[in-house]
Amino acid sequence: MAGARVESLLARMRMRSHRGRTALRKSAVDYFRGDASDWLAFGGLLLTVPAIACGTLMLPVWFSPAALVLPIVAGGLLLRPASLLALYAASAAALIVEALVLGPYTQGPARVTPGTVLVVAACGFFGLVIAQFRSRVGVPWRRGGTMLFDLRERIRVQSKLPALPRGWHREMALRPAGGQSFSGDFVVAARTNGGRTLEVVLTDVSGKGMEAGSRALLLSGAFGGLLGALPPHGFLPAANGYLLRQDWDEGFATSIHLVLDLETGDYELLSAGHLPALQLCAGTGRWQEKSGEGPLLGVYDGAEFTPVRGNLRRGDVLMLFTDGLVETADREISEGIDRLTGEADRYVSAGWEGAAWHLIEKVAKDVNDDRALLLIRRSP
């Protein structure tokens, strides 16, 4: 009987220990995500205030009264506004105690001076502004950077091209303006019609860099949902209607839609105010411009888009790109296209592996605009 009671007691202790570890782990994860209470951070920062005050009173040469800005700055990043105000009250009380114990600042160094009070108050003000902003947005600082990283990766995932059957090569390079992480250029692609057809949409949103990144994220998700769900000729009209419903102040975009039959090489290009595509004909070695007709997306309702048809024979190459690759303030689009095709000719004999990235490096490496290049080649 005694042995059974001991085993029962040990089992209950193990269960309680397991529950405690689980609760602690969940609390830590929730705190990192910003979903839990800030009592742990508040308690830790609150304890540092008397610790700093004691250090200032005992070793004033090593602990300056201005050291109270440390928990205040940390609180601005970690705490909610209500907890932050309580921390400020504790810091103000610590300053008063230090001033009373150390004496007037005119009687020696390491005293609480008016400048110390101003520095602490200024840090507190900016910390409160940051906390109020985080509270309005609803994104704690611990998750803000992670969320931006997730958004960037989501755009990259949505821009990945599907695998193509044997005999086809595809690659894409995307370079945001100014070395930023967000771009106003994006690609959505899907294989439809039982995998026989490749549909690719390259879009250039008005603006550049982070200014256009949020709109590009929204549009890439919407366009990805429309692609394949509608007949090819219905995609651009639906995308145009979607942009019009957003009612953005700067809400237009250019787009080019490629519909490629992977068995025959026949294709259609539908354009919404986008630059023409370039096709290299392997038989002649010459580049041809291919472009449909249609207005910008998001300008007016009822827009019509007229396709242009072509065929990719064995050895042919098709390039889709945005204006940042060929247009600059001191260079016309025609000159940029000539430079692009001239650099692309170097890869005819060397092979096209990695050509998209290298072409951006050669043609528009330091341009302060978003650049995207999509390359599709049918093997000889």
Side-chain angles (χ1 to χ4, degrees), residues 5 53 83 156 166 179 204 210 253 286 316 329 365:
R5 282 196 294 269
S83 303
R156 289 184 177 179
R166 185 180 181 86
D204 183 358
M210 294 192 68
R286 295 180 180 178
D316 286 3
K365 178 180 180 180

Side-chain angles (χ1 to χ4, degrees), residues 29-41:
V29 172
D30 288 344
Y31 182 74
F32 175 77
R33 295 174 56 195
D35 299 332
S37 173
D38 61 352
W39 64 267
L40 185 62

